């Protein structure tokens, strides 16, 4: 099995806060991998380190064979990212933002691709509106589009379903599942455990920066356990140690 | 509701101190204090070449300008609320979820800026001079008076920009009308009474001859400007969800000769659509320079012939270098974080946009050269001004990366900046004074500029981009 993400002994401290604590994590090609954990457990920090947005204070991270510490731009060139706080630049229109992304990423034929996404996520009417005037959900649609428009081998998404209405959530879930069927990989962080159980093939649980568990979802269901209750008992137990 | 004010001051402090450690930042007022204290001992020396009145004039002009710059940075009303606070969660933005009116939040924001920068810049300077006064034989009362009038000069700058920028946000024609009225009124008064127009500047008047009446008038003017500005402040951006036709693709084509066309195109649209292009040009460039020209021209007789034009060109260069903050101040690394863009690429692209903006100072210096009847020296003056601007921006990029307006308060950074820029200023002022055509040698600054920019890219790629 080829590994798409290999994190070894990955750590990050902010001052005296240990945001991520010696984490070892492997994600194989074709997985839809869910990173779970309570607020402040280090999910966002993990994603930022894997995408070269922040430097780890210890350990190594290799993503699609590229060292995220030595070549952060190289990693970002190959993956798609939706950051936690979606921030398309205020003074470009939705359409212009996608053109901007395409120009930076050197994606040809952007107009047709953008139009497909405007239709697919149902926001063609907002094409020419400045990003700062878009609703939160529409901004998230735009961020979703910019992450997938170049059909990356790997997409890392911090909370993919946040701000989406139920119809959109359904659409996006289906899209993610279909995307990994094409042999691509998706890495998400989420608080919605039911969704993780429904769509993810593998998962990991972080708590206070440490990895409590990692493995396939099927292994859990084979034992007759459910992800939500497993998560709660594991985290509660860890909280009392 | 004093709490909001206190919280905002704390926040401003933390923004500054987390950037470079509390100690380095806390030392900043001490440095200003030190400069004033030691500078005071030079006053008797300077008296031999410059009359005392001119020194106070220069200092007051500096503080007026400081007020204008602080005001211009912080107070472009709507834009600032949108661009500076729209994404980062500072109090001025997040307090909107509290049961407080927008005007009240804005009021607190402005008062915070005033008090904060007063203690950062004005107070330490006045104190330094006061403590030095016994040693240089200046009566304490006049040192205290200086502190008062400097504070007033600073506040005049701040309130004037605050006032003008809220008018600007409401209606551009009205702004032009107000500015024209000011210039005509002031000039007319000077022409009729045959007095030096600078003497109508209330703080200066107060400094040369103190009277309670004048003090009351000064304060009344300040309060009036301030009150009108608060009343005029409009937190709602007019006509939201505007439709724009696609300007990105055509710009991209037009910029294809640049190293990073998409980034340059984005910056251009940013500057243009946010209104900062015109707003900043007026408030952070033309206004301070008009003030400087005005005060400098009063000093004319004390410089060698043509000296004034070249001093002005250098000053324009220094102020033009702050255009780098126009392109960096509102733009956090956020939108680029998910793209394959390195900090060094972003620095290059910001510098490219900066270079395009240098057309403004170049034209400005040329106009001044023609207006002052020294068109023969147009080329050396423009070359000098623009070279100084590029050199100063190189120093800024190397020292501060993408956050120049925050990092400037780091004592270490500011110290190195002052030394590096100060040496160049001294050298080229002397060179230009010796022979105007020697000023052309300023093109040599391209070499250190290039080295600085190269070092800047290496240096800032090696650290995590700050979220500010
Ligand atoms: N820039 C930063 N500076 C200092 N501390 C930080 C920074 N970013 C994160 N932290 C700290 O690191 C820890 C992990 O934060 P992180 O954002 O990774 O959590 P998270 O799992 O994404 O939480 P949430 O579910 O709320 O999004 C927290 O304790 C947080 O306070
Ligand atoms: Mg998070």
């Amino acid at each position: 099995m080829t590994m798409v993400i290999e994190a070894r002994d990955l750590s990050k401290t902010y001052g005296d806060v240990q945001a991520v604590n010696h984490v070892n994590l492997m994600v194989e090609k074709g997985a839809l991998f869910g990173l779970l954990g309570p607020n402040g457990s280090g999910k966002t920090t993990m994603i930022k380190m894997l995408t070269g947005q922040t430097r780890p204070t210890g350990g190594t991270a290799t993503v699609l064979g590229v060292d995220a510490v030595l070549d952060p731009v190289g990693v970002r060139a190959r993956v798609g990212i939706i950051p936690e706080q979606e921030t398309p630049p205020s003074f470009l229109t939705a359409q212009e933002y996608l053109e901007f992304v395409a120009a930076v990423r050197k994606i040809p034929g952007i107009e047709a691709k953008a139009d497909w996404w405007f239709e697919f996520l149902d926001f063609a009417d907002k094409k020419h509106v400045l990003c700062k005037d878009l609703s939160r959900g529409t901004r998230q649609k735009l961020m979703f589009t910019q992450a997938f428009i170049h059909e990356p081998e790997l997409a890392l998404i911090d909370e993919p379903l946040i701000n989406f209405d139920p119809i959109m959530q359904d659409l996006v879930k289906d899209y993610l599942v279909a995307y990994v069927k094409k042999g691509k990989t998706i890495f998400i962080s989420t608080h919605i455990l039911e969704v993780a159980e429904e769509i993810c093939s593998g998962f990991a649980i972080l708590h206070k920066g440490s990895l409590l568990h990692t493995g396939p979802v099927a292994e859990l269901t084979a034992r007759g356990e459910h992800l939500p209750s497993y998560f709660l008992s594991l985290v509660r137990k860890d909280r009392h140690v | 509701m004093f709490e909001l004010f206190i919280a905002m001051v704390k926040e401003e402090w933390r923004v500054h101190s987390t950037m470079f450690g509390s100690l380095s930042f806390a030392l900043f007022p001490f440095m200003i204090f030190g400069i004033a204290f030691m500078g005071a001992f030079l006053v008797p020396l300077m008296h031999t070449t410059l009359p005392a009145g001119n020194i106070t004039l220069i200092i007051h002009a500096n503080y007026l300008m400081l007020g204008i710059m602080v005001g211009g940075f912080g107070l472009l009303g709507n834009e600032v609320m949108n661009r500076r606070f729209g994404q980062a969660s500072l109090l001025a933005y997040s307090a909107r979820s509290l049961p407080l009116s927008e005007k009240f939040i804005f009021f607190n924001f402005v008062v915070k800026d005033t008090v904060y920068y007063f203690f950062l810049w004005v107070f330490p300077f006045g104190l330094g001079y006061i403590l030095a006064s016994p040693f240089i034989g200046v009566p304490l009362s006049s040192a205290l008076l200086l502190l008062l009038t400097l504070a007033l000069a600073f506040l005049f700058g701040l309130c004037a920009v605050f006032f003008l920028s809220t008018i600007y946000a409401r209606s551009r024609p009205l702004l032009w009308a107000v500015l024209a009225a000011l210039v005509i009124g002031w000039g007319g008064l000077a022409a009729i009474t045959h007095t030096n127009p600078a003497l109508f500047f209330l703080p200066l008047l107060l400094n040369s001859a103190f009277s309670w009446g004048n003090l009351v008038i000064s304060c009344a003017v300040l309060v009036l400007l301030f009150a009108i500005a608060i009343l005029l402040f409009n937190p709602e951006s007019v006509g939201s969800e505007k439709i724009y036709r696609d300007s990105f693709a055509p710009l991209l084509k037009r910029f294809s000769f640049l190293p990073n066309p998409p980034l340059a195109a984005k910056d251009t649209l940013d500057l243009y659509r946010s209104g900062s292009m015109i707003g900043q040009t007026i408030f952070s460039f033309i206004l301070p320079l008009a003030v400087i020209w005005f005060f400098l021209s009063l000093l004319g007789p004390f410089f060698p012939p043509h000296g004034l034009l070249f001093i002005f060109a250098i000053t324009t260069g220094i102020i033009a270098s702050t255009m780098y903050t126009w392109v960096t101040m509102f733009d956090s690394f956020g939108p680029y974080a998910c793209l394959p863009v390195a900090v060094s690429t972003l620095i290059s692209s910001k510098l490219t946009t900066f270079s395009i903006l240098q057309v403004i100072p170049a034209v400005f210096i040329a106009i001044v050269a023609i207006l002052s009847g020294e068109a023969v020296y147009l080329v050396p003056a423009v070359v000098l001004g623009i070279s100084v601007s590029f050199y100063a921006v190189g120093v800024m990029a190397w020292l501060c990366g993408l956050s120049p307006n925050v990092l400037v308060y780091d004592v270490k950074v500011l110290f190195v900046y002052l030394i590096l820029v100060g040496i160049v200023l001294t050298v080229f002022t002397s060179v230009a004074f010796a022979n105007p055509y020697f000023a052309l040698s300023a093109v040599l600054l391209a070499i250190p500029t290039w080295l600085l920019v190269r070092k800047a890219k290496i240096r800032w790629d090696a650290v995590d981009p700050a979220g500010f």
Side-chain angles (χ1 to χ4, degrees):
Chain A
M1 257 303 163
T2 28
M3 291 298 164
V4 172
I5 296 177
E6 293 172 69
R8 290 185 204 284
D9 223 19
L10 203 57
S11 299
K12 175 83 185 179
T13 47
Y14 293 106
D16 28 289
V17 178
Q18 182 87 40
V20 172
N21 192 1
H22 300 282
V23 167
N24 288 290
L25 192 65
M26 302 284 153
V27 176
E28 59 195 28
K29 186 167 161 26
L32 206 174
F33 195 90
L35 184 61
L36 316 174
N39 293 129
S41 54
K43 302 182 296 298
T44 299
T45 309
M46 261 314 270
I47 290 184
K48 281 190 172 167
M49 286 192 289
L50 292 175
T51 51
Q53 298 181 55
T54 185
R55 248 156 269 262
T57 41
T60 58
T62 311
V63 174
L64 295 171
V66 180
D67 188 316
V69 183
L70 296 180
D71 186 11
V73 175
V75 169
R76 294 210 293 269
R78 287 152 158 248
V79 303
I81 307 167
I82 305 182
E84 182 171 47
Q85 288 170 323
E86 79 287 6
T87 49
S90 310
F91 290 98
L92 298 188
T93 64
Q95 160 102 18
E96 287 171 344
Y97 176 53
L98 294 178
E99 286 170 4
F100 169 71
V101 171
V104 171
R105 290 193 178 277
K106 306 201 167 49
I107 313 167
I110 181 61
E111 287 224 14
K113 285 181 183 152
D115 281 342
W116 186 85
W117 278 95
F118 282 130
E119 287 306 320
F120 177 62
L121 291 179
D122 190 25
F123 65 124
D125 53 331
K126 302 293 181 198
K127 221 166 144 171
H128 298 300
V129 175
L130 290 190
C131 293
K132 74 179 177 65
D133 296 333
L134 293 174
S135 76
R136 260 183 98 81
T138 312
R139 259 184 263 172
Q140 181 75 0
K141 288 179 186 176
L142 190 56
M143 292 309 284
F144 199 89
T145 306
Q146 66 77 29
F148 282 97
I149 201 153
H150 55 305
E151 303 202 11
E153 283 306 307
L154 166 68
L156 298 103
I157 316 175
D158 211 340
E159 285 290 356
L161 299 181
I162 202 160
N163 300 318
F164 281 148
D165 63 41
I167 297 168
M168 271 303 137
Q169 291 195 6
D170 219 44
L171 191 73
V172 164
K173 270 193 307 198
D174 290 346
Y175 180 82
L176 297 179
V177 171
Y179 197 75
V180 294
K181 287 227 176 86
K182 291 190 274 185
K184 316 234 177 187
T185 314
I186 289 176
F187 186 94
I188 63 172
S189 89
T190 184
H191 288 300
I192 316 176
L193 303 170
E194 291 76 11
V195 170
E197 178 164 38
E198 182 190 337
I199 66 172
C200 287
S201 55
F203 73 107
I205 298 177
L206 271 183
H207 187 213
K208 297 181 191 160
S210 300
L211 196 65
L212 295 187
H213 176 99
T214 175
V217 175
E219 186 185 280
L220 207 65
T221 33
R223 291 207 307 258
E225 277 197 85
H226 283 291
L227 187 50
S229 51
Y230 180 71
F231 174 91
L232 289 175
S233 68
L234 205 61
V235 169
R236 285 197 182 124
K237 206 163 64 193
D238 192 54
R239 199 162 272 179
H240 293 296
V241 205
Chain B
M1 286 296 292
F2 203 51
E3 295 87 351
L4 182 62
F5 170 76
I6 298 289
M8 277 179 163
V9 171
K10 272 191 196 153
E11 182 180 63
E12 186 87 23
W13 169 270
R14 294 222 173 103
V15 168
H16 284 131
S17 63
T18 48
M19 288 295 283
F20 36 75
S22 328
L23 183 66
S24 215
F25 180 55
L27 282 176
F28 184 80
F30 287 95
M31 189 175 74
I32 298 289
F33 168 85
I35 290 174
F37 185 78
M38 290 185 286
F41 289 93
L42 294 178
V43 171
L45 224 77
M46 289 196 282
H47 276 182
T48 52
T49 49
L50 272 180
N54 280 325
I55 299 174
T56 32
L57 193 138
I58 293 174
I59 299 175
H60 279 88
N62 273 323
Y63 272 84
L64 175 66
M65 205 178 73
L66 186 68
I68 291 177
M69 301 282 269
V70 167
F73 272 169
L75 302 173
L76 282 170
N78 289 332
E79 276 164 44
V80 169
M81 290 301 237
N82 278 331
R83 283 189 84 180
R84 189 162 154 202
F85 303 127
Q87 288 160 2
S89 43
L90 290 179
L91 268 172
Y93 182 70
S94 59
R96 287 171 164 191
S97 59
L98 300 175
L100 302 169
S101 81
E102 300 260 9
K103 278 198 189 348
F104 179 79
I105 295 169
F106 194 55
F107 171 79
N108 270 281
F109 173 68
V110 174
V111 174
K112 181 255 338 181
D113 253 18
T114 313
V115 172
Y116 192 79
Y117 289 99
F118 174 80
F119 280 104
L120 217 52
W121 286 95
V122 187
F123 184 70
F125 190 91
L127 197 66
Y129 190 69
I130 289 172
L131 290 188
S133 61
F135 304 106
I136 54 170
V138 172
L140 182 65
S141 59
S142 73
L144 283 173
L145 183 63
L146 184 71
L147 176 61
L148 174 74
T149 55
L150 282 186
L152 285 176
F154 173 76
L155 288 175
F156 262 90
L158 196 74
C159 286
V161 165
F162 183 26
F163 171 76
L164 292 174
S165 62
T166 41
I167 290 186
Y168 166 79
R170 287 269 171 168
S171 142
R172 310 259 157 112
L174 188 61
L175 175 72
W176 298 121
V178 170
L179 283 179
L182 262 175
V183 170
I184 292 169
W186 200 310
L189 205 61
I192 292 165
T193 55
H194 295 291
T195 27
N196 184 338
L199 292 179
F200 293 120
F201 184 48
L202 284 169
L204 204 59
L205 196 61
L206 207 58
N207 190 273
S208 57
F210 181 82
S211 88
W212 287 104
N214 263 340
L215 181 61
V216 171
I217 294 175
S218 302
C219 293
V221 171
L222 285 176
V223 169
L224 195 71
L225 288 177
F226 191 74
I228 295 177
I230 294 280
L231 286 178
L232 282 181
F233 174 66
N234 178 11
E236 291 305 317
S237 43
V238 256
S240 61
E241 217 185 75
K242 263 192 225 147
I243 301 294
Y244 286 87
R245 66 188 174 77
D246 185 356
S247 322
F248 188 82
L251 269 180
L252 198 59
K253 268 198 211 105
R254 196 172 308 165
F255 286 157
S256 56
F257 64 96
L258 293 174
N260 296 296
L263 301 183
K266 176 191 167 293
D267 278 347
T268 309
L269 286 181
D270 255 1
L271 276 171
Y272 186 71
R273 289 194 181 148
S274 66
S276 359
M277 183 72 177
I278 299 168
Q280 295 278 13
T281 306
I282 297 172
F283 293 109
S284 311
F285 186 76
I286 295 181
L287 213 59
L289 276 175
V291 170
I292 292 179
W293 192 16
F294 174 64
F295 281 97
L296 275 183
S297 56
L298 300 172
L299 296 175
F302 301 97
F303 293 121
H306 334 296
L308 198 59
L309 176 65
F310 286 96
I311 291 231
F312 191 71
I314 289 186
T315 316
T316 308
I318 294 293
I319 296 204
S321 73
T322 65
M323 287 180 169
Y324 183 57
T325 65
W326 305 5
V327 283
T328 53
M329 73 186 297
F330 299 114
D331 200 12
S332 70
F333 193 72
Y336 306 98
C338 49
L339 295 173
V341 175
V343 174
S344 56
T345 315
L346 206 53
I347 291 181
S348 316
S349 102
K350 297 288 176 194
L351 288 174
T352 309
T353 316
F354 169 84
S355 309
I356 297 172
L357 288 172
Q358 293 309 295
V359 174
I360 301 174
V363 170
F364 193 80
I365 296 174
I367 290 175
V368 167
I370 293 167
L371 285 186
S372 58
E374 303 194 65
V376 269
Y377 300 130
L378 189 148
V379 174
V382 170
V383 166
L384 179 62
I386 300 303
S387 306
V388 165
S389 172
F390 273 101
Y391 171 76
V393 88
V395 175
M396 221 188 289
W398 173 57
L399 287 173
C400 310
L402 289 169
S403 323
N405 50 327
V406 187
L407 276 172
V408 106
Y409 290 106
D410 184 342
V411 168
K412 278 174 286 173
V413 167
L414 191 62
F415 185 74
V416 177
Y417 177 85
L418 289 178
I419 297 279
L420 287 181
V421 173
I423 291 173
V424 163
L425 291 194
T426 319
V427 168
F428 283 97
T429 311
S430 327
V431 166
F433 276 17
N435 179 335
Y437 288 106
F438 288 177
L440 288 169
S441 63
V443 288
L444 290 176
L445 284 173
I447 299 166
T449 306
W450 183 75
L451 287 174
L452 282 164
V453 170
R454 214 180 59 161
K455 283 185 93 173
K457 291 186 191 170
I458 297 169
R459 176 175 179 185
W460 293 100
D461 258 345
V463 296
D464 275 354
F468 293 100

